[in-house]
């Protein structure tokens, strides 16, 4: 049985989608620092809260202690970020899917750390699906293989970004701007803002790590 872990950080709330739309059977919610309050405010039930919680008021902390069955409170001085600790716990619990909310917007260092962290975890756990989601974007990370992708009227713009190294053999089929076994250097803007021209497309590549971002204007 697949186990989906939804991790909510304390990013700008205007960028966090309606979390109730993501509540499904076998979904486990993890609040990262102030993200645990966002889960509670959405009428959902956090299974775990992780962080130093230095931004939480004492009266709010008492409410969190009542509502959250498992709390992991850390000192601010540590090697891992709170988000990294939350993902590590999800992996310990044999996650099949890890979706992150509240990890974009605000501080760019937090966003970059979260996005690149997904690439590292994907390398180490290739069978797990990792996504970073906000109201405007869905970010996912992919290893060499062939993938099917379906048209999404809401998030129709699709970008492919090599991370850590170049990507080799990238083929895009069913796209407005197709490619055939193309070498895409890291840092290249070649594959930014593409679109599907049919209901279903495909992308594949032979070597590297590819970040895919689906966006709306």
């Amino acid at each position: 049985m697949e186990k989906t872990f939804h991790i909510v950080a304390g990013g700008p709330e205007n960028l966090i989608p309606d979390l109730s739309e993501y509540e499904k059977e076998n979904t486990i919610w993890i609040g990262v620092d102030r993200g645990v309050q966002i889960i509670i405010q959405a009428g959902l039930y956090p299974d775990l809260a992780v962080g130093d919680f230095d931004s939480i008021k004492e009266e709010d902390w008492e409410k969190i202690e009542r509502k959250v069955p498992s709390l992991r409170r850390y000192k601010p001085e540590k090697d891992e970020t709170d988000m990294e600790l939350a993902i590590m716990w999800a992996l310990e619990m044999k996650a099949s899917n890890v979706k992150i909310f509240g990890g974009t917007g605000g501080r760019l260092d937090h966003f970059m750390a979260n996005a690149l962290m997904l690439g590292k975890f994907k390398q180490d756990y290739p069978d797990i699906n990792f996504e970073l989601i906000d109201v405007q974007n869905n970010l996912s990370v992919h290893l060499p293989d062939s993938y099917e992708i379906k048209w999404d009227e809401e998030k129709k713009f699709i970008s492919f970004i090599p991370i850590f190294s170049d990507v080799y053999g990238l083929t895009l089929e069913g796209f407005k701007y197709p490619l055939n076994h193309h070498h895409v250097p890291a840092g290249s803007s070649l594959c930014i803002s593409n679109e599907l021209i049919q209901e279903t497309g495909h992308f594949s590549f032979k070597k590297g790590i590819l970040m895919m971002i689906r966006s709306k204007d």
Side-chain angles (χ1 to χ4, degrees):
M1 180 183 296
E2 286 199 348
K3 295 172 69 175
T4 297
F5 287 73
H6 288 170
I7 302 175
V8 182
E13 292 188 46
N14 64 306
L15 295 180
I16 298 176
D18 182 355
L19 296 179
S20 65
E21 295 180 0
Y22 293 86
E23 170 71 346
K24 296 179 181 179
E25 189 176 0
N26 299 319
T27 295
I28 297 165
W29 291 92
I30 305 175
V32 175
D33 207 84
R34 200 174 64 84
V36 68
Q37 291 180 291
I38 297 172
I39 296 174
I40 293 170
Q41 289 166 8
L44 302 170
Y45 299 93
D47 297 275
L48 172 72
V50 174
D52 53 46
F53 303 105
D54 55 356
S55 61
I56 304 293
K57 297 178 181 178
E58 187 59 35
E59 58 268 27
D60 292 329
W61 177 248
E62 292 174 359
K63 182 178 181 180
I64 290 169
E65 286 186 307
R66 292 195 305 270
K67 287 185 171 290
V68 183
S70 182
L71 296 169
R72 294 192 177 188
R73 194 169 193 175
Y74 297 90
K75 294 181 179 180
E77 300 80 13
K78 57 187 182 303
D79 292 334
E80 301 87 358
T81 65
D82 293 337
M83 176 63 72
E84 189 173 3
L85 291 168
I87 295 174
M88 290 167 62
W89 184 82
L91 297 174
E92 289 175 13
M93 297 295 105
K94 309 300 182 183
S96 306
N97 305 286
V98 176
K99 300 178 186 292
I100 297 171
F101 306 87
T104 63
R107 287 179 53 172
L108 285 178
D109 55 342
H110 287 174
F111 165 67
M112 290 298 296
N114 291 336
L116 295 177
M117 190 190 310
L118 293 193
K120 180 62 171 66
F121 277 117
K122 186 65 177 180
Q123 284 181 299
D124 295 339
Y125 300 87
D127 295 330
I128 298 175
N129 299 312
F130 295 93
E131 288 185 78
L132 184 61
I133 301 169
D134 65 23
V135 293
Q136 192 168 2
N137 310 280
N138 277 53
L139 182 156
S140 56
V141 181
H142 303 271
L143 300 179
D145 205 340
S146 180
Y147 301 89
E148 181 179 272
I149 180 170
K150 295 186 180 297
W151 168 264
D152 185 333
E153 175 64 33
E154 184 180 23
K155 295 177 179 175
K156 63 182 182 179
F157 299 107
I158 306 170
S159 298
F160 296 98
I161 303 172
I163 56 174
F164 305 143
S165 63
D166 295 3
V167 161
Y168 295 88
L170 178 61
T171 295
L172 303 179
E173 299 175 329
F175 285 80
K176 184 177 182 179
Y177 305 108
L179 290 176
N180 185 31
H181 299 289
H182 204 84
H183 168 214
V184 185
S188 170
S189 61
L190 174 68
C191 300
I192 299 297
S193 200
N194 209 334
E195 298 178 51
L196 286 173
I197 56 173
Q198 55 193 46
E199 286 297 318
T200 302
H202 295 84
F203 69 95
S204 62
F205 60 106
K206 301 296 185 183
K207 183 180 179 182
I209 303 177
L210 198 61
M211 183 178 293
M212 180 177 71
I213 303 175
R214 307 194 69 168
S215 304
K216 65 179 180 180
D217 275 336

